[in-house]
Amino acid sequence: MEGIERSRKRSRQREEILAVLRSTKEHPTAAMLHTAARRRIPRLSLGTVYRNLDVLEEMGLVLHIRNGNAQDRFDGDVSPHYHFVCDACGAVLDMPLPYRPELDEAAAREGFRVRGHRLDFHGTCPACSKP
Ligand code: ZN
Ligand code: MN
Protein backbone atom coordinates (compact mmCIF):
# COMPACT_ATOMS: atom_id res chain seq x y z
CA MET A 1 0.00 0.00 0.00
CA GLU A 2 2.83 2.35 0.89
CA GLY A 3 4.47 1.60 -2.41
CA ILE A 4 1.37 2.56 -4.35
CA GLU A 5 1.06 5.83 -2.41
CA ARG A 6 4.67 6.62 -3.10
CA SER A 7 4.40 5.91 -6.80
CA ARG A 8 1.22 8.05 -7.00
CA LYS A 9 3.07 10.88 -5.34
CA ARG A 10 5.98 10.45 -7.74
CA SER A 11 3.85 10.51 -10.84
CA ARG A 12 1.92 13.53 -9.57
CA GLN A 13 5.21 15.39 -9.08
CA ARG A 14 6.36 14.36 -12.55
CA GLU A 15 3.09 15.47 -14.15
CA GLU A 16 3.20 18.81 -12.36
CA ILE A 17 6.77 19.51 -13.50
CA LEU A 18 5.86 18.59 -17.07
CA ALA A 19 2.72 20.77 -16.93
CA VAL A 20 4.76 23.77 -15.76
CA LEU A 21 7.33 23.16 -18.47
CA ARG A 22 4.70 22.86 -21.20
CA SER A 23 3.00 26.07 -20.06
CA THR A 24 6.02 28.30 -20.71
CA LYS A 25 8.16 29.42 -23.64
CA GLU A 26 10.97 30.52 -21.31
CA HIS A 27 13.07 27.35 -21.36
CA PRO A 28 13.40 27.49 -17.56
CA THR A 29 16.27 26.30 -15.39
CA ALA A 30 15.62 23.55 -12.83
CA ALA A 31 15.54 26.24 -10.13
CA MET A 32 12.91 28.26 -12.02
CA LEU A 33 10.81 25.11 -12.46
CA HIS A 34 11.20 24.33 -8.78
CA THR A 35 9.87 27.78 -7.80
CA ALA A 36 6.87 27.47 -10.15
CA ALA A 37 5.99 23.84 -9.30
CA ARG A 38 6.17 24.52 -5.55
CA ARG A 39 3.05 26.67 -5.82
CA ARG A 40 1.15 23.42 -6.41
CA ILE A 41 3.43 21.05 -4.47
CA PRO A 42 4.83 23.06 -1.52
CA ARG A 43 7.14 20.32 -0.22
CA LEU A 44 8.80 19.59 -3.55
CA SER A 45 12.60 19.67 -3.28
CA LEU A 46 15.04 20.88 -5.92
CA GLY A 47 16.66 17.42 -5.95
CA THR A 48 13.30 15.87 -6.82
CA VAL A 49 12.92 18.33 -9.69
CA TYR A 50 16.33 17.28 -11.06
CA ARG A 51 15.50 13.58 -10.72
CA ASN A 52 12.18 14.05 -12.49
CA LEU A 53 13.79 16.04 -15.29
CA ASP A 54 16.22 13.15 -15.84
CA VAL A 55 13.34 10.67 -16.02
CA LEU A 56 11.30 12.91 -18.34
CA GLU A 57 14.32 13.37 -20.60
CA GLU A 58 14.79 9.60 -20.74
CA MET A 59 11.11 9.23 -21.65
CA GLY A 60 11.62 11.69 -24.52
CA LEU A 61 9.16 14.19 -23.03
CA VAL A 62 11.66 16.90 -22.17
CA LEU A 63 14.55 18.48 -24.01
CA HIS A 64 17.64 19.17 -21.92
CA ILE A 65 19.51 22.22 -23.25
CA ARG A 66 23.09 21.98 -21.99
CA ASN A 67 24.39 25.45 -21.84
CA GLY A 68 28.14 25.49 -21.26
CA ASN A 69 28.97 27.65 -18.27
CA ALA A 70 25.45 28.98 -17.83
CA GLN A 71 22.71 26.99 -16.11
CA ASP A 72 21.10 24.21 -18.11
CA ARG A 73 17.64 24.89 -19.49
CA PHE A 74 14.69 22.62 -20.12
CA ASP A 75 12.06 22.57 -22.87
CA GLY A 76 8.67 20.86 -22.87
CA ASP A 77 8.51 21.19 -26.65
CA VAL A 78 10.34 18.14 -28.02
CA SER A 79 9.49 18.79 -31.68
CA PRO A 80 12.60 19.48 -33.80
CA HIS A 81 13.43 23.19 -33.52
CA TYR A 82 16.39 25.51 -33.05
CA HIS A 83 17.29 27.86 -30.23
CA PHE A 84 18.95 31.21 -29.77
CA VAL A 85 20.99 31.88 -26.63
CA CYS A 86 21.49 35.58 -25.77
CA ASP A 87 24.97 36.51 -24.53
CA ALA A 88 23.61 39.67 -22.89
CA CYS A 89 20.50 38.59 -20.94
CA GLY A 90 20.93 34.80 -20.98
CA ALA A 91 17.51 34.22 -22.53
CA VAL A 92 16.99 31.00 -24.48
CA LEU A 93 14.50 31.63 -27.28
CA ASP A 94 12.92 29.46 -29.95
CA MET A 95 14.41 30.34 -33.33
CA PRO A 96 11.63 30.70 -35.92
CA LEU A 97 13.49 28.88 -38.68
CA PRO A 98 12.33 25.60 -40.22
CA TYR A 99 14.21 22.41 -39.32
CA ARG A 100 16.70 21.48 -42.05
CA PRO A 101 16.36 17.73 -42.82
CA GLU A 102 18.96 18.13 -45.58
CA LEU A 103 21.61 18.44 -42.85
CA ASP A 104 20.60 15.02 -41.52
CA GLU A 105 20.72 13.63 -45.06
CA ALA A 106 24.17 15.14 -45.67
CA ALA A 107 25.46 13.61 -42.42
CA ALA A 108 23.89 10.26 -43.35
CA ARG A 109 25.82 10.36 -46.65
CA GLU A 110 28.99 10.48 -44.53
CA GLY A 111 28.09 7.06 -43.16
CA PHE A 112 26.37 8.12 -39.93
CA ARG A 113 23.02 6.81 -38.79
CA VAL A 114 21.43 10.14 -37.92
CA ARG A 115 18.56 10.52 -35.43
CA GLY A 116 18.43 14.29 -35.82
CA HIS A 117 20.40 17.41 -35.06
CA ARG A 118 20.21 20.36 -32.73
CA LEU A 119 21.39 23.87 -33.40
CA ASP A 120 21.86 26.73 -30.93
CA PHE A 121 22.53 30.21 -32.29
CA HIS A 122 24.51 32.57 -30.06
CA GLY A 123 24.63 36.37 -30.02
CA THR A 124 22.38 39.20 -28.88
CA CYS A 125 18.59 38.82 -28.84
CA PRO A 126 16.31 41.47 -30.46
CA ALA A 127 15.40 43.03 -27.08
CA CYS A 128 19.07 43.42 -26.07
CA SER A 129 20.05 44.70 -29.54
CA LYS A 130 17.82 47.77 -29.29
CA PRO A 131 19.84 51.00 -28.85
ZN1 ZN B 1 18.92 39.28 -24.58
MN1 MN C 1 12.44 25.47 -27.48
Side-chain angles (χ1 to χ4, degrees):
M1 203 52 202
E2 248 234 69
I4 291 169
E5 282 305 310
R6 204 175 301 157
S7 81
R8 276 208 192 110
K9 185 179 151 197
R10 270 203 205 113
S11 64
R12 188 182 158 232
Q13 289 170 335
R14 196 156 61 224
E15 276 159 27
E16 186 59 34
I17 290 164
L18 190 57
V20 170
L21 201 47
R22 284 177 173 167
S23 73
T24 177
K25 287 253 144 212
E26 307 263 309
H27 306 91
T29 63
M32 288 157 76
L33 276 170
H34 180 228
T35 302
R38 252 200 325 193
R39 276 180 223 131
R40 301 280 300 275
I41 307 176
R43 302 189 64 177
L44 188 70
S45 74
L46 182 58
T48 299
V49 171
Y50 274 112
R51 270 196 304 282
N52 277 292
L53 286 168
D54 281 346
V55 172
L56 288 165
E57 184 188 5
E58 249 168 61
M59 295 167 84
L61 296 174
V62 157
L63 209 67
H64 186 164
I65 306 169
R66 287 170 180 84
N67 213 358
N69 292 329
Q71 279 188 305
D72 288 1
R73 302 295 197 105
F74 296 88
D75 197 344
D77 176 5
V78 292
S79 69
H81 65 285
Y82 301 142
H83 291 108
F84 184 93
V85 182
C86 180
D87 296 331
C89 70
V92 176
L93 306 166
D94 285 335
M95 173 58 73
L97 289 176
Y99 186 82
R100 305 277 294 268
E102 65 269 29
L103 292 177
D104 295 335
E105 287 151 23
R109 283 195 295 275
E110 300 298 321
F112 294 90
R113 191 177 295 176
V114 178
R115 181 161 50 77
H117 69 272
R118 283 163 63 171
L119 188 53
D120 296 334
F121 295 87
H122 295 268
T124 311
C125 76
C128 292
S129 304
K130 279 184 194 140

PDB file of all heavy atoms in Angstrom, residues 90-118:
ATOM      1  N   GLY A  90      20.988  36.217 -21.307  1.00  0.00           N
ATOM      2  CA  GLY A  90      20.935  34.800 -20.976  1.00  0.00           C
ATOM      3  C   GLY A  90      19.667  34.091 -21.417  1.00  0.00           C
ATOM      4  O   GLY A  90      19.505  32.896 -21.167  1.00  0.00           O
ATOM      5  N   ALA A  91      18.761  34.832 -22.087  1.00  0.00           N
ATOM      6  CA  ALA A  91      17.512  34.219 -22.533  1.00  0.00           C
ATOM      7  C   ALA A  91      17.789  33.099 -23.529  1.00  0.00           C
ATOM      8  O   ALA A  91      18.739  33.172 -24.316  1.00  0.00           O
ATOM      9  CB  ALA A  91      16.610  35.273 -23.182  1.00  0.00           C
ATOM     10  N   VAL A  92      16.976  32.049 -23.463  1.00  0.00           N
ATOM     11  CA  VAL A  92      16.991  30.999 -24.477  1.00  0.00           C
ATOM     12  C   VAL A  92      15.653  31.085 -25.204  1.00  0.00           C
ATOM     13  O   VAL A  92      14.597  30.923 -24.591  1.00  0.00           O
ATOM     14  CB  VAL A  92      17.191  29.603 -23.852  1.00  0.00           C
ATOM     15  CG1 VAL A  92      17.113  28.521 -24.917  1.00  0.00           C
ATOM     16  CG2 VAL A  92      18.529  29.535 -23.117  1.00  0.00           C
ATOM     17  N   LEU A  93      15.715  31.390 -26.492  1.00  0.00           N
ATOM     18  CA  LEU A  93      14.499  31.634 -27.275  1.00  0.00           C
ATOM     19  C   LEU A  93      14.371  30.594 -28.372  1.00  0.00           C
ATOM     20  O   LEU A  93      15.376  30.086 -28.875  1.00  0.00           O
ATOM     21  CB  LEU A  93      14.577  33.029 -27.918  1.00  0.00           C
ATOM     22  CG  LEU A  93      14.850  34.198 -26.969  1.00  0.00           C
ATOM     23  CD1 LEU A  93      15.231  35.448 -27.751  1.00  0.00           C
ATOM     24  CD2 LEU A  93      13.634  34.460 -26.099  1.00  0.00           C
ATOM     25  N   ASP A  94      13.124  30.291 -28.768  1.00  0.00           N
ATOM     26  CA  ASP A  94      12.920  29.458 -29.950  1.00  0.00           C
ATOM     27  C   ASP A  94      13.283  30.277 -31.185  1.00  0.00           C
ATOM     28  O   ASP A  94      12.891  31.439 -31.307  1.00  0.00           O
ATOM     29  CB  ASP A  94      11.452  29.007 -30.046  1.00  0.00           C
ATOM     30  CG  ASP A  94      11.138  27.911 -29.049  1.00  0.00           C
ATOM     31  OD1 ASP A  94      12.067  27.181 -28.645  1.00  0.00           O
ATOM     32  OD2 ASP A  94       9.955  27.782 -28.681  1.00  0.00           O
ATOM     33  N   MET A  95      14.032  29.669 -32.089  1.00  0.00           N
ATOM     34  CA  MET A  95      14.407  30.339 -33.332  1.00  0.00           C
ATOM     35  C   MET A  95      13.378  29.994 -34.401  1.00  0.00           C
ATOM     36  O   MET A  95      13.191  28.823 -34.717  1.00  0.00           O
ATOM     37  CB  MET A  95      15.809  29.866 -33.732  1.00  0.00           C
ATOM     38  CG  MET A  95      16.287  30.342 -35.078  1.00  0.00           C
ATOM     39  SD  MET A  95      16.309  32.120 -35.256  1.00  0.00           S
ATOM     40  CE  MET A  95      17.721  32.543 -34.244  1.00  0.00           C
ATOM     41  N   PRO A  96      12.695  30.993 -34.951  1.00  0.00           N
ATOM     42  CA  PRO A  96      11.631  30.702 -35.917  1.00  0.00           C
ATOM     43  C   PRO A  96      12.165  30.381 -37.309  1.00  0.00           C
ATOM     44  O   PRO A  96      11.837  31.048 -38.281  1.00  0.00           O
ATOM     45  CB  PRO A  96      10.791  31.988 -35.910  1.00  0.00           C
ATOM     46  CG  PRO A  96      11.747  33.055 -35.528  1.00  0.00           C
ATOM     47  CD  PRO A  96      12.801  32.423 -34.644  1.00  0.00           C
ATOM     48  N   LEU A  97      12.998  29.366 -37.395  1.00  0.00           N
ATOM     49  CA  LEU A  97      13.490  28.882 -38.683  1.00  0.00           C
ATOM     50  C   LEU A  97      13.069  27.435 -38.828  1.00  0.00           C
ATOM     51  O   LEU A  97      13.076  26.705 -37.846  1.00  0.00           O
ATOM     52  CB  LEU A  97      15.019  28.946 -38.731  1.00  0.00           C
ATOM     53  CG  LEU A  97      15.689  30.318 -38.811  1.00  0.00           C
ATOM     54  CD1 LEU A  97      17.204  30.163 -38.746  1.00  0.00           C
ATOM     55  CD2 LEU A  97      15.272  31.037 -40.090  1.00  0.00           C
ATOM     56  N   PRO A  98      12.722  26.995 -40.054  1.00  0.00           N
ATOM     57  CA  PRO A  98      12.331  25.596 -40.220  1.00  0.00           C
ATOM     58  C   PRO A  98      13.510  24.651 -40.010  1.00  0.00           C
ATOM     59  O   PRO A  98      14.661  25.001 -40.314  1.00  0.00           O
ATOM     60  CB  PRO A  98      11.817  25.524 -41.669  1.00  0.00           C
ATOM     61  CG  PRO A  98      12.395  26.703 -42.361  1.00  0.00           C
ATOM     62  CD  PRO A  98      12.642  27.760 -41.323  1.00  0.00           C
ATOM     63  N   TYR A  99      13.211  23.476 -39.484  1.00  0.00           N
ATOM     64  CA  TYR A  99      14.208  22.411 -39.319  1.00  0.00           C
ATOM     65  C   TYR A  99      14.751  22.032 -40.694  1.00  0.00           C
ATOM     66  O   TYR A  99      14.005  21.985 -41.669  1.00  0.00           O
ATOM     67  CB  TYR A  99      13.533  21.218 -38.639  1.00  0.00           C
ATOM     68  CG  TYR A  99      14.462  20.085 -38.266  1.00  0.00           C
ATOM     69  CD1 TYR A  99      15.208  20.146 -37.104  1.00  0.00           C
ATOM     70  CD2 TYR A  99      14.558  18.953 -39.072  1.00  0.00           C
ATOM     71  CE1 TYR A  99      16.049  19.098 -36.746  1.00  0.00           C
ATOM     72  CE2 TYR A  99      15.397  17.903 -38.729  1.00  0.00           C
ATOM     73  CZ  TYR A  99      16.141  17.974 -37.556  1.00  0.00           C
ATOM     74  OH  TYR A  99      16.965  16.941 -37.209  1.00  0.00           O
ATOM     75  N   ARG A 100      16.059  21.756 -40.756  1.00  0.00           N
ATOM     76  CA  ARG A 100      16.699  21.480 -42.047  1.00  0.00           C
ATOM     77  C   ARG A 100      17.041  19.999 -42.192  1.00  0.00           C
ATOM     78  O   ARG A 100      18.165  19.589 -41.898  1.00  0.00           O
ATOM     79  CB  ARG A 100      17.980  22.312 -42.161  1.00  0.00           C
ATOM     80  CG  ARG A 100      17.785  23.815 -41.953  1.00  0.00           C
ATOM     81  CD  ARG A 100      17.329  24.512 -43.202  1.00  0.00           C
ATOM     82  NE  ARG A 100      18.354  24.470 -44.234  1.00  0.00           N
ATOM     83  CZ  ARG A 100      19.277  25.407 -44.420  1.00  0.00           C
ATOM     84  NH1 ARG A 100      19.317  26.464 -43.655  1.00  0.00           N
ATOM     85  NH2 ARG A 100      20.164  25.285 -45.391  1.00  0.00           N
ATOM     86  N   PRO A 101      16.093  19.175 -42.687  1.00  0.00           N
ATOM     87  CA  PRO A 101      16.363  17.732 -42.822  1.00  0.00           C
ATOM     88  C   PRO A 101      17.528  17.431 -43.758  1.00  0.00           C
ATOM     89  O   PRO A 101      18.150  16.383 -43.647  1.00  0.00           O
ATOM     90  CB  PRO A 101      15.039  17.164 -43.360  1.00  0.00           C
ATOM     91  CG  PRO A 101      14.291  18.329 -43.908  1.00  0.00           C
ATOM     92  CD  PRO A 101      14.752  19.537 -43.173  1.00  0.00           C
ATOM     93  N   GLU A 102      17.850  18.387 -44.655  1.00  0.00           N
ATOM     94  CA  GLU A 102      18.959  18.132 -45.582  1.00  0.00           C
ATOM     95  C   GLU A 102      20.301  18.016 -44.836  1.00  0.00           C
ATOM     96  O   GLU A 102      21.234  17.375 -45.338  1.00  0.00           O
ATOM     97  CB  GLU A 102      19.018  19.191 -46.690  1.00  0.00           C
ATOM     98  CG  GLU A 102      19.337  20.601 -46.227  1.00  0.00           C
ATOM     99  CD  GLU A 102      18.089  21.423 -45.885  1.00  0.00           C
ATOM    100  OE1 GLU A 102      17.065  20.845 -45.479  1.00  0.00           O
ATOM    101  OE2 GLU A 102      18.160  22.665 -46.020  1.00  0.00           O
ATOM    102  N   LEU A 103      20.389  18.611 -43.649  1.00  0.00           N
ATOM    103  CA  LEU A 103      21.609  18.440 -42.854  1.00  0.00           C
ATOM    104  C   LEU A 103      21.733  17.005 -42.348  1.00  0.00           C
ATOM    105  O   LEU A 103      22.827  16.432 -42.326  1.00  0.00           O
ATOM    106  CB  LEU A 103      21.625  19.425 -41.675  1.00  0.00           C
ATOM    107  CG  LEU A 103      21.765  20.908 -42.031  1.00  0.00           C
ATOM    108  CD1 LEU A 103      21.697  21.764 -40.759  1.00  0.00           C
ATOM    109  CD2 LEU A 103      23.065  21.166 -42.773  1.00  0.00           C
ATOM    110  N   ASP A 104      20.597  16.426 -41.939  1.00  0.00           N
ATOM    111  CA  ASP A 104      20.603  15.016 -41.516  1.00  0.00           C
ATOM    112  C   ASP A 104      20.987  14.109 -42.689  1.00  0.00           C
ATOM    113  O   ASP A 104      21.750  13.154 -42.536  1.00  0.00           O
ATOM    114  CB  ASP A 104      19.226  14.609 -40.980  1.00  0.00           C
ATOM    115  CG  ASP A 104      18.862  15.356 -39.709  1.00  0.00           C
ATOM    116  OD1 ASP A 104      19.783  15.798 -38.999  1.00  0.00           O
ATOM    117  OD2 ASP A 104      17.653  15.485 -39.434  1.00  0.00           O
ATOM    118  N   GLU A 105      20.431  14.447 -43.866  1.00  0.00           N
ATOM    119  CA  GLU A 105      20.723  13.632 -45.056  1.00  0.00           C
ATOM    120  C   GLU A 105      22.196  13.739 -45.431  1.00  0.00           C
ATOM    121  O   GLU A 105      22.829  12.728 -45.776  1.00  0.00           O
ATOM    122  CB  GLU A 105      19.828  14.081 -46.229  1.00  0.00           C
ATOM    123  CG  GLU A 105      18.377  13.637 -46.058  1.00  0.00           C
ATOM    124  CD  GLU A 105      17.372  14.581 -46.733  1.00  0.00           C
ATOM    125  OE1 GLU A 105      17.773  15.311 -47.678  1.00  0.00           O
ATOM    126  OE2 GLU A 105      16.190  14.592 -46.312  1.00  0.00           O
ATOM    127  N   ALA A 106      22.754  14.945 -45.357  1.00  0.00           N
ATOM    128  CA  ALA A 106      24.173  15.138 -45.672  1.00  0.00           C
ATOM    129  C   ALA A 106      25.045  14.347 -44.701  1.00  0.00           C
ATOM    130  O   ALA A 106      26.019  13.702 -45.103  1.00  0.00           O
ATOM    131  CB  ALA A 106      24.524  16.619 -45.630  1.00  0.00           C
ATOM    132  N   ALA A 107      24.683  14.357 -43.412  1.00  0.00           N
ATOM    133  CA  ALA A 107      25.457  13.614 -42.419  1.00  0.00           C
ATOM    134  C   ALA A 107      25.324  12.110 -42.669  1.00  0.00           C
ATOM    135  O   ALA A 107      26.291  11.358 -42.525  1.00  0.00           O
ATOM    136  CB  ALA A 107      24.991  13.978 -41.007  1.00  0.00           C
ATOM    137  N   ALA A 108      24.117  11.673 -43.067  1.00  0.00           N
ATOM    138  CA  ALA A 108      23.895  10.256 -43.352  1.00  0.00           C
ATOM    139  C   ALA A 108      24.763   9.799 -44.525  1.00  0.00           C
ATOM    140  O   ALA A 108      25.266   8.672 -44.537  1.00  0.00           O
ATOM    141  CB  ALA A 108      22.411   9.998 -43.646  1.00  0.00           C
ATOM    142  N   ARG A 109      24.957  10.692 -45.500  1.00  0.00           N
ATOM    143  CA  ARG A 109      25.817  10.356 -46.646  1.00  0.00           C
ATOM    144  C   ARG A 109      27.277  10.168 -46.226  1.00  0.00           C
ATOM    145  O   ARG A 109      28.055   9.546 -46.949  1.00  0.00           O
ATOM    146  CB  ARG A 109      25.712  11.435 -47.735  1.00  0.00           C
ATOM    147  CG  ARG A 109      24.412  11.324 -48.562  1.00  0.00           C
ATOM    148  CD  ARG A 109      24.480  12.133 -49.854  1.00  0.00           C
ATOM    149  NE  ARG A 109      24.575  13.566 -49.607  1.00  0.00           N
ATOM    150  CZ  ARG A 109      23.520  14.378 -49.392  1.00  0.00           C
ATOM    151  NH1 ARG A 109      22.289  13.878 -49.398  1.00  0.00           N
ATOM    152  NH2 ARG A 109      23.692  15.664 -49.175  1.00  0.00           N
ATOM    153  N   GLU A 110      27.626  10.685 -45.063  1.00  0.00           N
ATOM    154  CA  GLU A 110      28.986  10.479 -44.532  1.00  0.00           C
ATOM    155  C   GLU A 110      29.093   9.173 -43.758  1.00  0.00           C
ATOM    156  O   GLU A 110      30.106   8.906 -43.111  1.00  0.00           O
ATOM    157  CB  GLU A 110      29.390  11.649 -43.625  1.00  0.00           C
ATOM    158  CG  GLU A 110      29.407  13.014 -44.304  1.00  0.00           C
ATOM    159  CD  GLU A 110      30.413  13.082 -45.454  1.00  0.00           C
ATOM    160  OE1 GLU A 110      31.501  12.507 -45.310  1.00  0.00           O
ATOM    161  OE2 GLU A 110      30.080  13.695 -46.495  1.00  0.00           O
ATOM    162  N   GLY A 111      28.038   8.375 -43.780  1.00  0.00           N
ATOM    163  CA  GLY A 111      28.088   7.061 -43.156  1.00  0.00           C
ATOM    164  C   GLY A 111      27.559   7.012 -41.734  1.00  0.00           C
ATOM    165  O   GLY A 111      27.698   6.006 -41.041  1.00  0.00           O
ATOM    166  N   PHE A 112      26.911   8.104 -41.288  1.00  0.00           N
ATOM    167  CA  PHE A 112      26.369   8.122 -39.930  1.00  0.00           C
ATOM    168  C   PHE A 112      24.889   7.768 -39.952  1.00  0.00           C
ATOM    169  O   PHE A 112      24.162   8.154 -40.873  1.00  0.00           O
ATOM    170  CB  PHE A 112      26.546   9.508 -39.296  1.00  0.00           C
ATOM    171  CG  PHE A 112      27.993   9.869 -39.083  1.00  0.00           C
ATOM    172  CD1 PHE A 112      28.710  10.530 -40.071  1.00  0.00           C
ATOM    173  CD2 PHE A 112      28.627   9.523 -37.904  1.00  0.00           C
ATOM    174  CE1 PHE A 112      30.049  10.846 -39.876  1.00  0.00           C
ATOM    175  CE2 PHE A 112      29.967   9.846 -37.705  1.00  0.00           C
ATOM    176  CZ  PHE A 112      30.679  10.502 -38.692  1.00  0.00           C
ATOM    177  N   ARG A 113      24.453   7.040 -38.943  1.00  0.00           N
ATOM    178  CA  ARG A 113      23.021   6.807 -38.788  1.00  0.00           C
ATOM    179  C   ARG A 113      22.483   7.953 -37.936  1.00  0.00           C
ATOM    180  O   ARG A 113      22.718   7.987 -36.732  1.00  0.00           O
ATOM    181  CB  ARG A 113      22.775   5.451 -38.135  1.00  0.00           C
ATOM    182  CG  ARG A 113      21.316   5.048 -38.181  1.00  0.00           C
ATOM    183  CD  ARG A 113      21.084   3.675 -37.606  1.00  0.00           C
ATOM    184  NE  ARG A 113      21.735   2.630 -38.408  1.00  0.00           N
ATOM    185  CZ  ARG A 113      21.741   1.350 -38.068  1.00  0.00           C
ATOM    186  NH1 ARG A 113      21.159   0.961 -36.937  1.00  0.00           N
ATOM    187  NH2 ARG A 113      22.345   0.463 -38.823  1.00  0.00           N
ATOM    188  N   VAL A 114      21.774   8.874 -38.565  1.00  0.00           N
ATOM    189  CA  VAL A 114      21.429  10.139 -37.916  1.00  0.00           C
ATOM    190  C   VAL A 114      20.001  10.097 -37.364  1.00  0.00           C
ATOM    191  O   VAL A 114      19.063   9.743 -38.072  1.00  0.00           O
ATOM    192  CB  VAL A 114      21.573  11.308 -38.918  1.00  0.00           C
ATOM    193  CG1 VAL A 114      21.162  12.616 -38.264  1.00  0.00           C
ATOM    194  CG2 VAL A 114      23.009  11.393 -39.424  1.00  0.00           C
ATOM    195  N   ARG A 115      19.861  10.457 -36.091  1.00  0.00           N
ATOM    196  CA  ARG A 115      18.556  10.522 -35.435  1.00  0.00           C
ATOM    197  C   ARG A 115      17.982  11.934 -35.555  1.00  0.00           C
ATOM    198  O   ARG A 115      16.776  12.141 -35.525  1.00  0.00           O
ATOM    199  CB  ARG A 115      18.751  10.127 -33.976  1.00  0.00           C
ATOM    200  CG  ARG A 115      17.551  10.104 -33.102  1.00  0.00           C
ATOM    201  CD  ARG A 115      17.832   9.264 -31.854  1.00  0.00           C
ATOM    202  NE  ARG A 115      19.090   9.648 -31.200  1.00  0.00           N
ATOM    203  CZ  ARG A 115      19.253  10.731 -30.438  1.00  0.00           C
ATOM    204  NH1 ARG A 115      18.253  11.534 -30.222  1.00  0.00           N
ATOM    205  NH2 ARG A 115      20.414  10.997 -29.881  1.00  0.00           N
ATOM    206  N   GLY A 116      18.856  12.905 -35.719  1.00  0.00           N
ATOM    207  CA  GLY A 116      18.426  14.288 -35.817  1.00  0.00           C
ATOM    208  C   GLY A 116      19.586  15.191 -35.463  1.00  0.00           C
ATOM    209  O   GLY A 116      20.683  14.705 -35.188  1.00  0.00           O
ATOM    210  N   HIS A 117      19.346  16.493 -35.486  1.00  0.00           N
ATOM    211  CA  HIS A 117      20.398  17.411 -35.059  1.00  0.00           C
ATOM    212  C   HIS A 117      19.789  18.563 -34.278  1.00  0.00           C
ATOM    213  O   HIS A 117      18.599  18.853 -34.392  1.00  0.00           O
ATOM    214  CB  HIS A 117      21.200  17.935 -36.257  1.00  0.00           C
ATOM    215  CG  HIS A 117      20.432  18.856 -37.158  1.00  0.00           C
ATOM    216  ND1 HIS A 117      19.665  18.396 -38.212  1.00  0.00           N
ATOM    217  CD2 HIS A 117      20.299  20.209 -37.160  1.00  0.00           C
ATOM    218  CE1 HIS A 117      19.109  19.428 -38.832  1.00  0.00           C
ATOM    219  NE2 HIS A 117      19.470  20.541 -38.216  1.00  0.00           N
ATOM    220  N   ARG A 118      20.637  19.184 -33.481  1.00  0.00           N
ATOM    221  CA  ARG A 118      20.214  20.362 -32.726  1.00  0.00           C
ATOM    222  C   ARG A 118      21.147  21.512 -33.062  1.00  0.00           C
ATOM    223  O   ARG A 118      22.314  21.281 -33.364  1.00  0.00           O
ATOM    224  CB  ARG A 118      20.215  20.051 -31.226  1.00  0.00           C
ATOM    225  CG  ARG A 118      18.974  19.226 -30.855  1.00  0.00           C
ATOM    226  CD  ARG A 118      19.104  18.559 -29.521  1.00  0.00           C
ATOM    227  NE  ARG A 118      19.236  19.541 -28.437  1.00  0.00           N
ATOM    228  CZ  ARG A 118      19.187  19.211 -27.150  1.00  0.00           C
ATOM    229  NH1 ARG A 118      19.006  17.954 -26.794  1.00  0.00           N
ATOM    230  NH2 ARG A 118      19.320  20.139 -26.230  1.00  0.00           N
TER     231      ARG A 118
END
